[in-house]
Amino acid sequence: MQGLMQDYPLTTQHILWRMERLYGPKEIVTKTDSGLRRVSYQELTGRIHRLAHALTKLGVKKGDRVATLCWNNYRHLELYYAIPCLGAVLHTLNLRLFPAQLEFTVKDAEDTLIFVDSSLISVLNQVAGKIPSVRQIVVIKDGGQELPEHQLGELLDYETLLQQEPDQFDWPRLDERAAAAMCYTSGTTGNPKGVVYSHRSQFLHAMAVLQADTLALSEQDALLPLVPMFHANSWGLPYAVGLAGAKMIFPDRFAGDSQALIDLADSEGATLLAGVPTIWINFLTQLRKDGRRLNNVRLVLCGGSAVPRALMEGMDAAGLRMIHAWGMTETSPIGSVGVARSWLPREQELEIRLRQGVPVPGVEIRIADLATGLELPWDGQAFGEIQCRGPWIASGYHNNADPTRLTEDGWFRTGDVATIDQDGYISIVDRTKDVIKSGGEWISSVELEGAIMAHPKVLEACVIGVDHPKWQERPVAYVVARPEAKGELTEAEIREFLAGKVADWWLPDEIRFIDEVPKTSTFKFDKKALRADAEPLHESQAAEAPPV
Ligand code: ADP
């Protein structure tokens, strides 16, 4: 047929065009060492054009990989746009990788340039002399402070590069299927693997984030993303925000300082917050301590690991409505969101929000039996591996790492174990590698953690399987008491609390008190680190049979 719709490329250039032409006065605010730095969309987009000129002069061509080693700030946002809009590939380096992994990712991606925040020079310095593909390093300074000692050779200065350039760049025509960005998975097993996003996938993912039954992100919103921009596209939010024309609030470096984050959200009128559960656990503790409320916040998006019930209830009580999102680096990352549907009873709303949600428009999901690979029914009982497909789901990895992640019929195997109920709500049982196999039965480490974290004296709980001579594995819980209950909370108290809430044979063989659960680069519980350091079960436990 003739006269079909135009074959208009879905690229990040379109998002940039909207930012420039439609939202000029909107603000991007970054917390810096010398106070808040405010940049309008108009100023920012002008700087993106300058940056494109600078990149071109530095020899960047279509398809070249250009890396960033940066925190959440407006200059990182400039790189998020200038690099792909030029046809090059933005590679966000994970600043918490071990030096050998960092070296691996730069080499595997064949990065040609690296942009680095001055506060992260020492991180990059760990791989000095080991990354031959990198022609040049550009440092982004926050203020006039001295750089630390390094062996990285001559560094170019970001602001000097931009100053010399005009603020109009003629963008090349791009193929929507070309690579726009890449990010490496954290490599829980083996080397990190490169996930490559296309322009089309970034664009469609951003469109999905804006939808009413996803985040309903609009121009009216002010978003504070507490998800690092170096990981999984910062949940795709930098592009979704640009598409919507929303205000963006950046904390720059962030980790445990909840007080500063609350102040920032409050003073800048944040309406939408996004982060992993461990961030919110501390955030909520601080809010309660100070008796503060954040009245402008309409939604707190929580993902990356399961939201413990106690956290969601606590956030509700603090007037903060939290919803669950599920996804992974390979799914751009948003795959499902926990919106409640109109036909479901209102009194079940919390139960529904505690599940991992329903697939967002564009993503198809199924569960497959762990042993046979056959598709399982959506009955809320049968559990199997989540497999998914859609325009922003990975079809493999850079350099064909781990080809086994695709099924024969082209679905992506996520490695997450879940049930799906008849309304399409996903409940994650565990990750295949974290589920505890005890005497041929499965124990969900996630569910046990949630049950323990419901205890009012518990701040964090992380459960791993430890080898058992008879039962193969048995659960061991690592528990962090709330500061006021430290040294006082006992194993017996927790056992008593769990009785009747989980099956007897699920009760952990040991409960070990620690000061802090180790965290991954993205602030999740680091089970790999816990497992590596875990003491074996006490002899008395190891000899005993678990209660049935
Ligand atoms: P990693 O955690 O390995 O650094 P990702 O950020 O890609 O890398 O993590 C994706 C994984 O996080 C998913 O496969 C899943 O196991 C877990 N996850 C993400 N969102 C949720 C959620 N809402 N509930 C439970 N688990 C989640």
Side-chain angles (χ1 to χ4, degrees):
M1 285 181 77
Q2 288 184 330
L4 286 168
M5 295 297 121
Q6 296 181 4
D7 189 13
Y8 177 81
L10 308 178
T11 71
T12 50
Q13 287 177 348
H14 175 83
I15 308 179
L16 180 63
W17 177 83
R18 288 186 69 82
M19 289 168 71
E20 273 181 88
R21 304 303 291 268
L22 298 170
Y23 304 118
K26 291 306 295 257
E27 244 184 4
I28 289 137
V29 183
T30 304
K31 187 169 180 290
T32 71
D33 286 345
S34 52
L36 294 178
R37 169 84 164 97
R38 293 178 192 280
V39 190
S40 67
Y41 269 43
Q42 191 185 8
E43 190 186 340
L44 186 101
T45 52
R47 287 170 56 87
I48 291 170
H49 281 256
R50 289 165 188 259
L51 180 54
H53 279 290
L55 287 165
T56 309
K57 277 200 187 149
L58 290 169
V60 174
K61 306 224 165 32
K62 273 191 182 174
D64 282 358
R65 265 76 77 190
V66 177
T68 58
L69 188 64
C70 303
W71 274 111
N72 288 20
N73 52 50
Y74 70 100
R75 275 116 143 215
H76 204 178
L77 189 66
E78 291 164 4
L79 291 155
Y80 254 70
Y81 281 92
I83 296 167
C85 287
L86 195 63
V89 184
L90 166 79
H91 173 199
T92 50
L93 292 169
N94 185 330
L95 53 93
R96 292 228 176 74
L97 289 182
F98 296 117
Q101 288 180 318
L102 186 63
E103 178 187 334
F104 173 84
T105 56
V106 174
K107 280 185 173 155
D108 192 59
E110 296 172 87
D111 294 326
T112 55
L113 296 180
I114 298 182
F115 287 77
V116 56
D117 275 349
S118 53
S119 60
L120 294 168
I121 289 279
S122 47
V123 174
L124 191 59
N125 196 41
Q126 296 172 324
V127 296
K130 295 179 179 162
I131 42 175
S133 62
V134 177
R135 295 193 305 264
Q136 196 74 60
I137 296 170
V138 183
V139 64
I140 306 174
K141 290 187 193 141
D142 180 9
Q145 81 278 50
E146 289 278 300
L147 292 183
E149 290 256 323
H150 63 83
Q151 286 77 47
L152 295 165
E154 191 213 347
L155 303 179
L156 298 177
D157 176 63
Y158 185 78
E159 290 300 330
T160 312
L161 287 181
L162 259 64
Q163 250 167 30
Q164 296 159 355
E165 303 301 335
D167 59 7
Q168 268 311 317
F169 186 82
D170 207 5
W171 301 105
R173 211 182 146 70
L174 298 179
D175 177 350
E176 65 174 23
R177 289 186 167 76
M182 69 189 302
C183 174
Y184 280 75
T185 61
S186 338
T188 0
T189 48
N191 271 328
K193 288 168 283 192
V195 177
V196 186
Y197 307 105
S198 65
H199 280 269
R200 179 183 150 84
S201 72
Q202 300 286 48
F203 184 96
L204 291 172
H205 182 271
M207 291 278 275
V209 169
L210 264 50
Q211 297 212 344
D213 280 338
T214 309
L215 295 193
L217 179 69
S218 87
E219 186 272 327
Q220 311 283 322
D221 277 308
L223 171 77
L224 174 61
L226 299 178
V227 282
M229 286 174 84
F230 61 74
H231 187 68
N233 287 316
S234 196
W235 294 2
L237 297 168
Y239 295 121
V241 160
L243 197 59
K247 175 175 172 178
M248 190 89 158
I249 309 163
F250 285 124
D252 197 35
R253 302 186 286 277
F254 67 97
D257 189 2
S258 300
Q259 183 77 69
L261 298 175
I262 293 168
D263 288 344
L264 187 63
D266 197 10
S267 66
E268 290 305 315
T271 61
L272 191 59
L273 313 176
V276 298
T278 54
I279 293 272
W280 304 126
I281 290 174
N282 292 319
F283 198 90
L284 180 60
T285 307
Q286 188 70 42
L287 268 182
R288 278 183 179 148
K289 199 165 136 214
D290 300 345
R292 278 173 83 173
R293 292 185 86 85
L294 292 170
N295 293 327
N296 285 316
V297 174
R298 67 167 180 87
L299 197 65
V300 179
L301 185 67
C302 190
S305 23
V307 181
R309 174 184 292 270
L311 175 62
M312 199 171 281
E313 284 173 346
M315 292 294 266
D316 276 353
L320 294 173
R321 185 184 162 76
M322 176 173 262
I323 62 167
H324 230 143
W326 166 85
M328 57 204 307
T329 309
E330 292 89 334
T331 64
S332 293
I334 297 183
S336 70
V337 170
V339 287
R341 259 80 147 275
S342 59
W343 69 84
L344 298 167
R346 282 194 78 86
E347 59 278 11
Q348 280 179 23
E349 219 245 352
L350 178 71
E351 299 307 318
I352 292 163
R353 276 193 285 133
L354 280 166
R355 296 179 199 153
Q356 274 72 13
V358 294
V360 296
V363 175
E364 243 183 283
I365 284 182
R366 69 183 183 192
I367 42 174
D369 187 90
L370 295 172
T372 64
L374 295 175
E375 189 170 351
L376 294 167
W378 290 14
D379 59 8
Q381 299 293 323
F383 63 88
E385 183 182 35
I386 303 182
Q387 299 179 348
C388 55
R389 64 178 181 183
W392 57 86
I393 309 296
S395 67
Y397 294 98
H398 183 56
N399 286 337
N400 199 28
D402 199 0
T404 60
R405 291 299 285 272
L406 280 195
T407 63
E408 271 174 16
D409 54 352
W411 291 60
F412 184 79
R413 301 180 52 199
T414 65
D416 282 342
V417 183
T419 62
I420 305 182
D421 70 14
Q422 66 228 24
D423 296 309
Y425 285 94
I426 301 161
S427 298
I428 304 263
V429 176
D430 220 328
R431 282 180 151 185
T432 40
K433 51 185 178 289
D434 294 335
V435 87
I436 299 160
K437 250 192 151 175
S438 173
E441 298 287 341
W442 303 85
I443 298 176
S444 158
S445 65
V446 174
E447 224 171 286
L448 256 182
E449 285 161 5
I452 302 172
M453 281 192 272
H455 191 292
K457 292 185 187 167
V458 171
L459 186 68
E460 294 179 336
C462 185
V463 176
I464 57 167
V466 174
D467 290 345
H468 189 285
K470 180 161 181 195
W471 301 102
Q472 190 176 351
E473 275 184 342
R474 289 294 300 153
V476 168
Y478 288 81
V479 173
V480 181
R482 288 191 175 280
E484 61 281 9
K486 222 172 184 172
E488 180 201 296
L489 177 63
T490 63
E491 185 163 346
E493 250 178 284
I494 296 179
R495 287 189 184 287
E496 203 177 306
F497 180 77
L498 290 177
K501 295 196 177 82
V502 299
D504 284 353
W505 61 276
W506 277 40
L507 288 174
D509 278 25
E510 284 179 37
I511 296 173
R512 300 174 178 169
F513 290 99
I514 49 175
D515 287 337
E516 198 188 339
V517 176
K519 308 285 184 326
T520 66
S521 62
T522 52
F523 312 117
K524 301 189 199 181
F525 291 162
D526 191 345
K527 298 200 175 181
K528 194 170 118 196
L530 267 185
R531 263 186 224 116
D533 293 340
E535 298 272 323
L537 287 168
H538 288 152
E539 264 172 40
S540 57
Q541 289 291 356
E544 252 176 45
V548 186

